[in-house]
Amino acid sequence: MAAANLLSEEAFSCPVCCDIFGDPVLLSCSHSVCRTCLQQFWETKGSQECPVCRRRSSKSDPPCNRALKNLCETFLESRSQRASSWSEVLCSLHKEKLKLFCLEDQQPVCVVCHLSKAHKNHNCCPIDEANKLKISLERLQQNLKALEEVKQTCDKTAAHIKCQAQHTERQIKEEFEKLHQFLRDEESARIAALKEEEEQKSHMMRRKIEEMNGEIESLSDKIRNLQKEIEAEDILFLQVRITLSPSLHLSLSISLSLRCANCKLQTEPEKVSALLINVAKHLSSLKFRVWENMQKILQYTPVTLDPNTAHPHLHLSDDLTTVEHRPQTSLLPDHPERFEVYPCVLGSEGFNSGTHCWDVDVGGSEYWALGVIRESESRKGSSVWSSVWSLCYSKSSDEYWISCPGQADHVLTPTEKLQRVRVQLDWNRGKVTFTDLITSSHLHTITHTFTDTVFPIIYSYSSPVRLLPAKISRVTVLEPM
């Protein structure tokens, strides 16, 4: 009885009906449920699953959990005894009924005790009134305890908000640092290309200038030599003109003219072209070209996960695309958005129109489920799965099946073990289609008329499950308007 008193009422409550166990049965997964609740749940689902973890039960008639049943009976008996009135108990000193309650000492007393020296000047009231006061006090204490629990939750939430903000800020800085590094690398590469072109063309110009200097020096020498010859020939020409015949004079004039003509033809410089920096190549649509190259490092995932909805046993990757089940419970504040019983997590965005598609790598996960869930469904308790349209897998039974609210499970028999699955939601037409990405084969299409927003949901109980990025098509440049 003492052991039962140490436990709270929640420890003896059925997870389905939330009442004290009357006839608890023990499932193969070690969870206990009322026998009546279990039969009703199995009749509704059409399969023998645990209402808590959804693992298949190996027995159609689970055994009674006698140890838990005995503890529940002891707990109820103890609670009944605590509720009995003090007025039926006799005073240990005077053997009189305890009809009064001493407000000073906070204890029940008899009439003789009230007149005795120990309680003579103390304020006392009838035990019935004291019981009412005690009940009021207990209610106030319960309210105080509830407020303290809410305050603790608020304190945890405030601390978690600060941690979330710091962690998110750090991730944002890391992502922008990657972009900054990419831009710095692009800048360095383009400046290096410009410097290389500058060096090549500067080298060509230096070589051309050296050649020109050589030609200028050679031509200058020829001019000086020719001037000397002209001066010498002028003297000779005058002498010949005076003393020689006209025919010799004509011959000397022709020789001088030919030499001048040859010098002019040999010294014409070659035209220089295509030696300037190709500025247009380096600056033309620079921002667009950089952005085009940036697509090589970018990834887009149509659906990302919402960490605020993840069960405490689930761990999400920093990019919110991978979920992994870990035994250690995360110290996260409890709030209505977070799953409590099932290890599930929702997508960060809900859909209430249009067509949406996301690919999931289930890999070697032993227990998983993919699908959509109504936004209005509570994340607490074991009734969550009554609003989920999903494709499920269990390694223990080696079965794939389709689960829909209010319908019996539909077993699937794919030709190969599923590794990558595509989930396609057509909200307007009321369809959820599952496809095997490896074989491109259609698995199943669920039909339902959706009336409110639905969110992607992932159930993971073992190895990581990862959302795959979508392919990004290259930008198409349109004709100018």
Side-chain angles (χ1 to χ4, degrees), residues 301 303-305 320-321 358-361 458 465-469:
T301 306
V303 169
T304 54
L305 304 175
L320 305 180
T321 61
W358 57 97
D359 299 336
V360 186
D361 185 351
I458 293 179
V465 174
R466 183 169 64 96
L467 289 160
L468 299 174

Side-chain angles (χ1 to χ4, degrees), residues 311-315 323-331 343 460-464:
H311 186 276
H313 287 176
L314 296 182
H315 175 77
V323 55
E324 182 179 4
H325 185 276
R326 295 182 180 178
Q328 299 86 359
T329 301
S330 303
L331 298 177
S460 177
Y461 200 71
S462 56
S463 302

Side-chain angles (χ1 to χ4, degrees), residues 35 50 55 93 119 149-150 234 252 278 282 284 326 413:
R35 186 181 299 276
C50 171
R55 292 184 64 178
L93 295 176
H119 300 280
E149 290 176 353
V150 172
D234 284 344
L252 290 173
N278 190 351
H282 298 285
S284 179
R326 295 182 180 178
T413 55

Side-chain angles (χ1 to χ4, degrees), residues 54-338:
R54 290 187 62 82
R55 292 184 64 178
R56 297 297 180 92
S57 175
S58 58
K59 298 180 180 180
S60 59
D61 186 16
C64 176
N65 191 340
R66 297 190 180 278
L68 180 58
K69 184 177 181 180
N70 293 336
L71 284 173
C72 291
E73 292 175 352
T74 304
F75 177 79
L76 291 173
E77 181 182 355
S78 174
R79 187 172 67 177
S80 176
Q81 291 178 355
R82 290 195 304 270
S84 62
S85 174
W86 285 335
S87 61
E88 300 299 325
V89 182
L90 298 179
C91 176
S92 60
L93 295 176
H94 308 102
K95 306 304 178 182
E96 297 286 339
K97 289 185 178 181
L98 300 175
K99 294 183 177 181
L100 299 175
F101 186 82
C102 179
L103 299 177
E104 303 290 336
D105 296 328
Q106 291 291 306
Q107 67 181 32
V109 295
C110 68
V111 176
V112 179
C113 290
H114 178 53
L115 297 175
S116 66
K117 184 178 179 180
H119 300 280
K120 184 174 182 180
N121 297 323
H122 293 176
N123 293 324
C124 296
C125 66
I127 194 73
D128 294 338
E129 294 182 8
N131 284 336
K132 293 180 181 178
L133 291 175
K134 184 175 182 297
I135 293 173
S136 300
L137 177 62
E138 289 178 350
R139 289 177 179 174
L140 291 175
Q141 289 174 340
Q142 290 176 356
N143 291 338
L144 177 61
K145 182 179 179 181
L147 287 174
E148 289 176 345
E149 290 176 353
V150 172
K151 182 181 180 299
Q152 290 179 357
T153 301
C154 291
D155 292 339
K156 290 180 181 179
T157 302
H160 185 62
I161 288 172
K162 187 173 182 179
C163 292
Q164 274 188 314
Q166 293 174 347
H167 182 67
T168 305
E169 180 182 356
R170 183 167 61 252
Q171 288 181 274
I172 290 173
K173 288 182 178 180
E174 289 175 358
E175 292 300 317
F176 270 93
E177 177 57 29
K178 293 176 183 178
L179 295 177
H180 294 160
Q181 187 59 47
F182 171 83
L183 292 176
R184 287 193 290 266
D185 293 342
E186 280 286 315
E187 178 186 11
S188 300
R190 292 178 182 276
I191 291 178
L194 174 62
K195 293 295 184 182
E196 183 179 359
E197 184 179 358
E198 178 191 14
E199 180 62 28
Q200 290 177 351
K201 295 194 172 179
S202 296
H203 178 72
M204 292 174 60
M205 287 305 301
R206 287 194 297 270
R207 188 176 61 185
K208 191 69 177 178
I209 290 171
E210 290 176 358
E211 293 177 357
M212 295 293 290
N213 288 335
E215 293 180 1
I216 289 172
E217 186 177 354
S218 175
L219 185 58
S220 298
D221 291 341
K222 289 181 181 180
I223 290 174
R224 286 194 295 271
N225 294 334
L226 184 59
Q227 286 177 343
K228 291 179 182 180
E229 291 180 7
I230 290 173
E231 291 175 358
E233 288 181 356
D234 284 344
I235 297 173
L236 179 61
F237 179 75
L238 291 175
Q239 293 175 351
V240 170
R241 186 175 182 181
I242 296 172
T243 59
L244 299 181
S245 63
S247 59
L248 182 57
H249 171 264
L250 179 60
S251 175
L252 290 173
S253 298
I254 293 173
S255 175
L256 181 59
S257 298
L258 289 173
R259 239 181 300 174
C260 291
N262 289 335
C263 290
K264 181 179 180 181
L265 292 174
Q266 292 174 359
T267 57
E268 284 188 2
E270 296 180 2
K271 293 182 179 181
V272 180
S273 62
L275 288 178
L276 298 179
I277 295 293
N278 190 351
V279 177
K281 183 185 75 172
H282 298 285
L283 296 181
S284 179
S285 302
L286 177 60
K287 295 177 183 178
F288 176 82
R289 300 303 177 193
V290 172
W291 178 67
E292 194 175 31
N293 289 339
M294 190 179 291
Q295 294 181 71
K296 299 175 183 177
I297 66 169
L298 298 180
Q299 282 191 345
Y300 171 72
T301 306
V303 169
T304 54
L305 304 175
D306 182 2
N308 294 334
T309 66
H311 186 276
H313 287 176
L314 296 182
H315 175 77
L316 305 186
S317 60
D318 288 340
D319 60 359
L320 305 180
T321 61
T322 303
V323 55
E324 182 179 4
H325 185 276
R326 295 182 180 178
Q328 299 86 359
T329 301
S330 303
L331 298 177
L332 300 174
D334 186 24
H335 54 86
E337 292 80 9
R338 191 176 304 283

Side-chain angles (χ1 to χ4, degrees), residues 410-428:
H410 174 70
V411 178
L412 298 180
T413 55
T415 56
E416 298 180 4
K417 183 178 179 180
L418 299 181
Q419 298 289 332
R420 295 187 173 188
V421 178
R422 169 166 294 174
V423 184
Q424 184 168 347
L425 168 67
D426 190 339
W427 194 94
N428 296 334

